[in-house]
Amino acid sequence: MKRPTQVPSPLAGEGRIPTCPLSRRTLLAAPLALTACAPRANSQPAPGPVAPLKSLAPFPIGTCVQAGFLDDPAYTALLTEHFSQITAEWEMKMEYIVLPDGTFRFDRPDAMAAFARARGIRLFGHALVWYAQTPDAFVRLDERRASFGQAYDRYITAVVGRYRGQAVGWDVVNEAVRDDGSALRDHLWSQRLGEIDHMVRAFHVAHAADPDVPLFINDYNLESNPAKLDQYQRLIERLLRAGAPLTAIGCQTHCNADLASGALTRTINALARFGLQVHVSEMDVSLVRAGGWFVSREEKAAAQARLYAEAVTAFAALPAAQQFAFTIWGVRDPESWLVRENRSDAPLLFDGEGQPKAAFRAVEAALRA
Ligand code: 9MR
């Protein structure tokens, strides 16, 4: 399965180099050295009571879940204490729902929806059309264009319709922009139904299936790659001009601890200029993918905490009507997709014991501010 890879951030820090002791190696990486020398957040969480994040935020605080996690009482207790919205991490995608014979299964999506209903948690739908997921049942329909389009519509209608009245939003099109930002991606859906047309169609079909639900486009590396952010904004304009009922914008916010200060704020503000609702939809901050100019892992953890705080602060500054939700892509570190890729990463707010990290305290402080 294709996963996002982070490009080195071209968004260099601005302003003068601070007067802290810098090694030659750090000086060579001067723009990025700002992160290393900025006032330090303590990477160890401060002691004291932990406030439920959802009680501090005027907007929903989300996380992603897998159906299997819901059997773990320690996990569900932590989730329920802090989060007011869930996104299925993968079991509401085609990879789970579409069986080889083209029929659909909803047992796990339904279990997550029932969990959310029982706990008074919002359910966010993710993701209907994704270049990375092209089930064989669809590929086989290649030669018969009419039936391909009908199957596409049937899938979107079935999934959105099933959670009508419960889902508070849907990622209709996920990751449409190429990694280098040069163009839109080319894949089964665009080849069979048209580069823009497959997206416009998906938005219309989703809208027909649940006319009241906010419909999102969603993408990643927008804060680290200005060309990708530009292309994403152009795509949103094209979709709106084409009459697609796109009503909200997702900014995944998978970032690395070396992201320059200010990049998250600029990106969130740029996306808010459309006047639509904004979802920070999948935030995590990788330590191991960050560059080598950090002197220690503690510095990386402090930079991680600052980035979480920056994103929360920028999001909280948006007009209230545009604050859809702020979602972190997982609860405890060991459950993160990044940790499954590299066991030494620690991208989330809670450690494996469910203890709050410095990143949690930074989010807590940013929400209180
Ligand atoms: O975290 C998700 C991982 O568990 C799944 O295996 C993978 C494929 O379904 O998707 C991951 O989530 C991705 C999300 O759906 C879209 N943006 C990037 C996320 C991380 O790869």
Side-chain angles (χ1 to χ4, degrees):
M1 197 60 57
K2 194 105 167 63
R3 296 175 191 273
T5 47
Q6 300 274 325
V7 295
S9 174
L11 294 168
E14 287 156 10
R16 74 194 166 80
I17 304 286
T19 53
C20 71
L22 293 171
S23 66
R24 178 179 150 70
R25 185 174 176 200
T26 315
L27 275 171
L28 290 174
L32 291 151
L34 291 179
T35 310
C37 294
R40 282 188 192 190
N42 186 352
S43 62
Q44 296 304 311
V50 170
L53 290 183
K54 68 181 185 189
S55 71
L56 299 176
F59 42 79
I61 299 282
T63 191
C64 66
V65 303
Q66 299 186 21
F69 296 168
L70 301 179
D71 299 330
D72 173 353
Y75 172 88
T76 55
L78 195 59
L79 187 159
T80 308
E81 184 180 357
H82 291 284
F83 299 93
S84 48
Q85 178 175 302
I86 56 170
T87 304
E89 188 171 356
W90 65 278
E91 290 147 309
M92 286 174 97
K93 298 172 183 165
M94 286 184 180
E95 68 179 292
Y96 186 79
I97 293 178
V98 182
L99 291 167
D101 66 358
T103 57
F104 305 147
R105 63 174 164 181
F106 289 106
D107 53 345
R108 293 193 200 170
D110 285 353
M112 290 183 280
F115 170 85
R117 275 197 309 277
R119 310 267 177 144
I121 293 174
R122 289 161 39 121
L123 175 72
F124 183 73
H126 171 81
L128 297 171
V129 179
W130 189 12
Y131 79 95
Q133 301 211 340
T134 54
D136 286 347
F138 280 93
V139 176
R140 280 201 304 271
L141 297 171
D142 272 3
E143 302 307 318
R144 298 163 56 204
R145 285 178 174 238
S147 70
F148 187 92
Q150 284 158 9
Y152 184 81
D153 296 351
R154 206 163 38 241
Y155 175 77
I156 296 169
T157 302
V159 178
V160 176
R162 191 170 185 95
Y163 301 103
R164 179 175 174 163
Q166 183 178 0
V168 293
W170 272 100
D171 282 332
V172 177
V173 173
N174 196 38
E175 303 175 0
V177 179
R178 275 197 209 159
D179 276 337
D180 64 4
S182 63
L184 301 179
R185 293 185 199 269
D186 178 44
H187 45 72
L188 179 73
W189 316 112
S190 62
Q191 287 160 11
R192 301 293 163 244
L193 299 172
E195 187 183 57
I196 282 286
D197 290 354
H198 84 278
M199 299 191 222
V200 175
R201 181 173 183 152
F203 277 101
H204 280 300
V205 175
H207 181 65
D210 187 350
D212 298 322
V213 78
L215 299 178
F216 288 75
I217 185 148
N218 190 42
D219 219 319
Y220 65 90
N221 273 0
L222 305 171
E223 57 288 325
S224 59
N225 183 348
K228 191 164 181 183
L229 176 60
D230 281 356
Q231 187 69 248
Y232 190 54
Q233 291 173 291
R234 283 200 294 278
L235 171 60
I236 293 165
E237 281 163 16
R238 286 171 75 186
L239 289 169
L240 292 172
R241 268 203 309 274
L246 179 166
T247 52
I249 301 173
C251 180
Q252 292 186 10
T253 323
H254 293 288
C255 50
N256 299 342
D258 59 4
L259 183 69
S261 162
L264 287 165
T265 308
R266 283 194 292 272
T267 305
I268 290 169
N269 290 342
L271 295 176
R273 276 185 214 118
F274 287 95
L276 303 176
Q277 286 194 296
V278 175
H279 187 192
V280 170
S281 55
E282 307 181 14
M283 186 162 185
D284 48 29
V285 183
S286 172
L287 301 185
V288 299
R289 291 182 176 199
W293 44 85
F294 289 101
V295 176
S296 65
R297 187 168 166 101
E298 284 65 37
E299 277 192 352
K300 285 190 188 179
Q304 175 187 65
R306 286 195 296 271
L307 290 171
Y308 270 113
E310 182 187 333
V312 167
T313 301
F315 188 78
L318 298 181
Q322 287 187 261
Q323 295 167 341
F324 178 77
F326 191 100
T327 294
I328 295 151
W329 207 234
V331 179
R332 303 178 300 200
D333 280 333
E335 285 122 13
S336 165
W337 68 289
L338 288 165
V339 177
R340 287 197 293 279
E341 279 194 5
N342 184 326
R343 289 166 59 91
S344 59
D345 213 340
L348 300 174
L349 303 188
F350 295 92
D351 67 17
E353 269 69 58
Q355 293 304 310
K357 297 161 47 185
F360 175 92
R361 294 297 185 186
V363 169
E364 186 185 29
L367 287 172
R368 284 187 197 279

